């Protein structure tokens, strides 16, 4: 682990009222992978070590000496342990439970900075090294493998990956767990639970990623954990509201797949979408928000208040208010065999994992917006060339100027305007692409095995059509737009709707799913932060005191 601050005697003295002093002996096991959320251990005397079990092999991740402490982000999120913690030298430890830790960092700004800084840095280091309690054995040409790796990566969960075509250890691991190539992708959790070609939901359930989430009525339920939803969670939780965030995949939204965002305020060198999401998740959980992942929302019961949200696993949650931050998904080209090649040459993200699959090859990026531009610039670094196919006559109308400049000045990127893909060709994997220049009508066919689709966006709102007013394209109408809607029942109350309020009082929409939204990360974050002020007003209307 990279970040190893040493607490002073004075700082440890401030922690003592929150913890319990514990004597330990050599080889004592403090916790194992899969245990309930473990405490943080501050070493007063002696030494402890953190061990990851990877492919049946124990790997010492780090050791902690007097003044240092164990722990990383799972202590904040309330998830199960990923590692083994064991005593190396007998001594004394100050044990700090997850609940007490949260109270401590809420009250002590200096210690909050120390613990949160260490936890964030350690999680990043562990992810980079592949030190975790999950081993994935899969194939670069497997769509299921890619889906599992993407989920774990975007969730920030450390894991080790072994490719059956490139890693000799893959065959050994398969044999060791009584599996063969037909079981790929194989996922081993805690060196005990063996999952053969699991779904993302099955993996999340096995790892207990959604444990400790009770059925209490929330002040606000946030549906979607993109930038808008995470911003709402941070601001609501920091102001004392009881917050639950529900995300159908992994947090981050479309922005979470961006390799580099360079026009976000305060980050002159840019930051990745994953980094932005990871920090926002930690920030919201630090204030007490709970986040469910790999769980889709199927219905909103809008007849009674508090409102009830129904999930795809049968669970239901009630909230005094609801924030819809469901975002939008890329539009899919009308191609007969598109789904057959998804994850096998057709991709909707451009992260390190997809880039691995097309290293040294020519690729195509479809789209003319910022996401497509960021993908093209990122992929141009390690491919034989990027061709962008853009339906419009230029990029200026849909892409930020700095990205247009990057693309125009990059010799490894070629832009073809007024162009569209007409056919995908291949058997088990995409092998060729046929595309048309609409200006001339000419067709071209090339040996291209990797296409990144980032064309426009459609809202994720079909499940809401019976509850809230939508515009002609399915985006959610809010605020003043409700009063302009043709339907006289678009707004039911005498008071005017709040700025981000939908046709259902107390239900708000933010981010890309909202009609009229500006498709920028900063705009989504702004709406997510503003909506909390409106949530307070709704809660006050219902008679619950507004948080100080």
């Amino acid at each position: 682990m990279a970040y190893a601050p040493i607490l002073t005697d004075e700082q440890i003295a401030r922690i003592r009222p929150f913890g319990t002093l514990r004597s330990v002996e050599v080889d004592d096991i403090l916790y194992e992978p899969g245990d309930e959320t473990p405490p943080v251990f501050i070493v007063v005397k002696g030494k402890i070590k953190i061990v990851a079990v990877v492919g049946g092999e124990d790997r010492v991740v780090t050791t902690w000496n007097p003044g240092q402490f164990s722990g990383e982000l799972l202590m904040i999120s309330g998830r199960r342990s990923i590692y083994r913690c064991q005593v190396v030298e007998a001594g004394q430890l100050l044990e700090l439970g997850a609940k007490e830790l949260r109270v401590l960092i809420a009250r002590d700004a200096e210690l909050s900075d120390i613990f949160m800084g260490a936890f964030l840095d350690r999680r990043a280091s562990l992810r980079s090294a592949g030190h975790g309690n999950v081993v994935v054995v899969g194939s670069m040409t497997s769509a299921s493998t890619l889906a599992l790796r993407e989920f774990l990566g975007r969730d920030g969960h450390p894991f080790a990956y072994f490719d059956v075509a490139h890693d000799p250890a893959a065959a050994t691991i398969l044999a060791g767990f009584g599996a063969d190539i037909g079981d790929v992708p194989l996922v081993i959790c805690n060196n005990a639970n063996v999952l053969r070609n699991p779904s993302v939901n099955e993996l999340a359930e096995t790892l207990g990623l959604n444990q400790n989430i009770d059925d209490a009525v929330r002040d606000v339920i946030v549906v979607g954990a993109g930038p808008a939803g995470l911003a709402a969670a941070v601001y609501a939780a920091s102001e004392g509201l009881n917050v639950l965030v529900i995300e159908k995949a992994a947090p981050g939204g479309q922005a979470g797949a961006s390799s580099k965002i360079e026009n976000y305020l305060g980050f002159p060198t840019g930051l990745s979408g994953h980094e932005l999401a990871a920090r926002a998740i930690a920030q919201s959980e630090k204030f007490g928000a709970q986040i469910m992942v790999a769980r889709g929302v199927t219905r909103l019961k809008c007849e009674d208040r508090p409102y009830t949200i129904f999930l795809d696993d049968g669970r239901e949650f009630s909230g005094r208010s609801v924030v819809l931050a469901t975002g939008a998904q890329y539009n899919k080209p009308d191609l007969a065999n598109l789904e057959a090649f998804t994850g096998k040459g057709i991709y909707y993200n451009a992260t390190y994992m997809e880039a691995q699959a097309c290293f040294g090859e020519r690729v195509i990026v479809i789209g003319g917006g910022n996401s497509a531009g960021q993908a093209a610039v990122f992929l141009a670094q390690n491919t034989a060339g990027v061709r962008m196919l853009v339906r419009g006559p230029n990029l200026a109308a849909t892409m930020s100027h700095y990205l247009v400049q990057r693309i125009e000045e990059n010799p490894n990127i070629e832009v073809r305007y007024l162009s569209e893909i007409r056919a995908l060709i291949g058997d088990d994997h995409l092998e060729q692409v046929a595309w048309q220049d609409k200006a001339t009508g000419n067709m071209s066919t090339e040996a291209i095995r990797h296409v990144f689709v980032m064309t426009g966006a459609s809202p994720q709102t079909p499940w809401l059509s019976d509850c809230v007013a939508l515009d002609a394209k399915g985006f959610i109408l809010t605020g003043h737009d409700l009063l302009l809607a043709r339907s006289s029942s678009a707004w039911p109350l005498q008071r005017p709707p709040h700025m981000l309020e939908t046709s259902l009082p107390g239900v708000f929409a933010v981010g890309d799913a909202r009609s009229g939204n500006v498709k920028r990360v900063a705009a989504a974050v702004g709406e997510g932060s503003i909506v909390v002020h409106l949530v307070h007003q709704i809660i006050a209307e219902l008679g619950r005191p507004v948080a100080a």
Side-chain angles (χ1 to χ4, degrees):
M1 294 185 183
Y3 187 44
I6 299 176
L7 298 168
T8 66
D9 291 341
E10 189 273 334
Q11 289 169 336
I12 293 176
R14 298 210 309 264
I15 298 172
R16 283 183 184 272
F18 298 89
T20 302
L21 198 61
R22 174 176 172 179
S23 296
V24 292
E25 301 297 332
V26 175
D27 291 334
D28 281 355
I29 302 294
L30 302 176
Y31 54 83
E32 290 276 15
D35 286 354
E36 294 296 316
T37 309
V40 168
F41 290 102
I42 296 118
V43 181
V44 178
K45 180 182 178 182
K47 182 185 295 187
I48 60 177
K49 66 181 177 180
I50 304 298
V51 179
V53 182
V54 181
E57 174 189 346
D58 287 359
R59 296 183 184 177
V60 176
V61 176
T62 192
T63 56
W64 299 129
N65 298 301
Q68 296 179 314
F69 55 88
S70 66
E72 51 100 35
L73 284 178
L74 67 88
M75 280 69 174
I76 297 296
S77 64
R79 291 182 175 182
R80 293 177 185 169
S81 170
I82 296 176
Y83 309 100
R84 176 186 302 137
C85 184
Q86 189 171 5
V87 178
V88 177
E89 293 179 6
Q92 287 188 318
L93 308 175
L94 186 58
E95 182 176 333
L96 190 63
K99 182 179 179 180
E100 290 72 26
L101 172 66
R102 186 171 285 112
V103 173
L104 173 66
I105 62 179
R107 295 182 182 179
D108 193 312
E110 181 189 32
L111 290 172
S112 174
D113 288 346
I114 292 172
F115 279 109
M116 292 303 296
F119 291 169
L120 281 163
D121 191 74
R122 290 171 184 178
R123 175 54 68 98
S125 175
L126 292 164
R127 287 183 64 248
S128 177
H131 286 152
N133 65 332
V134 176
V135 174
V136 179
V137 181
S139 167
M140 286 285 192
T141 61
S142 163
S144 297
T145 298
L146 180 60
L148 294 169
R149 294 178 68 205
E150 282 185 341
F151 170 73
L152 290 167
R154 294 184 65 172
D155 185 66
H157 197 101
F159 70 99
Y161 174 66
F162 298 88
D163 192 274
V164 292
H166 305 289
D167 296 314
T172 303
I173 295 171
L174 288 175
F177 287 93
D180 56 37
I181 196 70
D183 295 315
V184 167
L186 188 80
V187 183
I188 303 109
C189 304
N190 299 320
N191 201 39
N193 301 104
V194 180
L195 307 178
R196 290 168 167 78
N197 193 17
S199 67
V200 165
N201 286 359
E202 290 172 325
L203 176 56
E205 185 70 22
T206 301
L207 292 175
L209 300 187
N210 296 322
Q211 68 166 11
N212 297 330
I213 295 180
D214 59 57
D215 296 328
V217 176
R218 270 36 182 224
D219 292 320
V220 56
I221 295 176
V222 181
V223 183
L230 290 173
V234 168
Y235 280 87
S238 70
E239 294 179 16
L241 298 181
N242 187 335
V243 184
L244 173 64
V245 182
I246 303 170
E247 167 57 45
K248 68 177 181 179
Q254 284 189 3
S258 295
S259 56
K260 196 170 190 182
I261 304 168
E262 293 190 66
N263 59 351
Y264 191 69
L265 183 67
F267 292 86
T269 60
L271 77 168
S272 70
H274 177 269
E275 182 182 6
L276 176 64
R279 289 179 173 274
I281 294 163
Q283 195 173 15
S284 66
E285 291 177 332
K286 163 188 168 180
F287 291 122
Q290 293 184 312
I291 299 179
M292 293 188 76
V293 296
R295 286 292 171 229
V297 174
T298 59
R299 185 165 71 92
L300 168 62
K301 184 181 179 182
C302 47
E303 299 86 2
D304 304 305
R305 299 177 74 172
Y307 297 120
T308 302
I309 294 284
F310 294 86
L311 273 57
D312 54 11
D313 65 351
R315 293 188 69 179
E316 55 188 70
F317 295 93
S318 297
R320 298 178 178 89
S321 65
V322 176
V323 173
L324 302 171
T326 51
Q329 69 176 12
Y330 294 120
N331 294 327
K332 297 181 179 181
D334 186 16
L335 298 169
N337 50 356
L338 183 72
E339 294 300 327
F341 291 126
T342 297
K344 300 179 180 181
I346 295 292
Y347 314 102
Y348 297 93
N349 297 315
T351 68
Y352 169 73
M353 292 178 191
E354 290 84 8
Q356 276 185 312
C358 55
F359 182 84
E361 299 185 50
R362 291 188 59 80
V363 304
I364 284 177
V365 173
I366 308 174
N370 274 11
S371 294
Q374 291 162 351
V377 172
F378 172 65
L379 293 167
Q381 300 175 64
N382 294 301
T383 61
V386 177
R387 172 174 289 128
M388 294 187 69
L389 299 184
V390 182
R391 288 186 301 176
N394 58 62
L395 293 173
T398 53
M399 188 180 293
S400 296
H401 180 65
Y402 82 93
L403 275 173
V404 176
Q405 284 186 308
R406 293 275 175 85
I407 289 167
E408 290 177 343
E409 295 170 5
N410 193 319
N412 211 29
I413 301 176
E414 173 195 9
V415 183
R416 292 293 183 96
Y417 298 107
L418 300 173
S419 299
E420 290 188 64
I421 286 185
R422 295 303 186 196
L424 304 173
I425 305 161
D427 294 320
D428 292 335
H429 194 282
L430 179 65
E431 298 296 339
Q432 293 182 304
V433 172
W435 59 278
Q436 183 180 36
D437 184 326
K438 295 189 293 182
T440 64
N442 293 338
M443 292 285 295
S444 301
T445 300
E446 291 185 82
I448 296 287
R449 300 180 67 252
H450 305 281
V451 174
F452 294 81
V453 180
M454 296 175 177
T455 53
S458 297
Q460 304 297 288
T461 57
W463 62 281
L464 291 167
S465 58
D466 293 333
C467 270
V468 301
L470 308 175
D471 68 13
K473 295 183 179 179
F475 292 91
I476 304 168
L477 292 169
T478 57
H480 184 66
D481 289 343
L482 290 170
L483 303 180
L484 300 177
R486 294 181 180 180
S487 171
S488 60
S489 61
W491 178 247
L493 302 184
Q494 288 187 337
R495 71 161 174 83
H498 296 302
M499 180 172 56
L500 299 171
E501 198 168 17
T502 71
S503 60
L504 197 59
V507 176
F508 301 88
V510 295
D512 288 358
R514 190 181 67 82
S515 181
N517 173 262
V518 178
K519 302 298 188 288
R520 291 291 184 270
V521 173
V525 170
E527 291 182 11
S529 59
I530 290 169
V531 78
V532 175
H533 171 69
L534 308 177
V535 166
H536 276 302
Q537 295 185 45
I538 292 297
I539 292 175
E541 288 178 10
L542 295 173
R544 183 184 184 278
V546 178

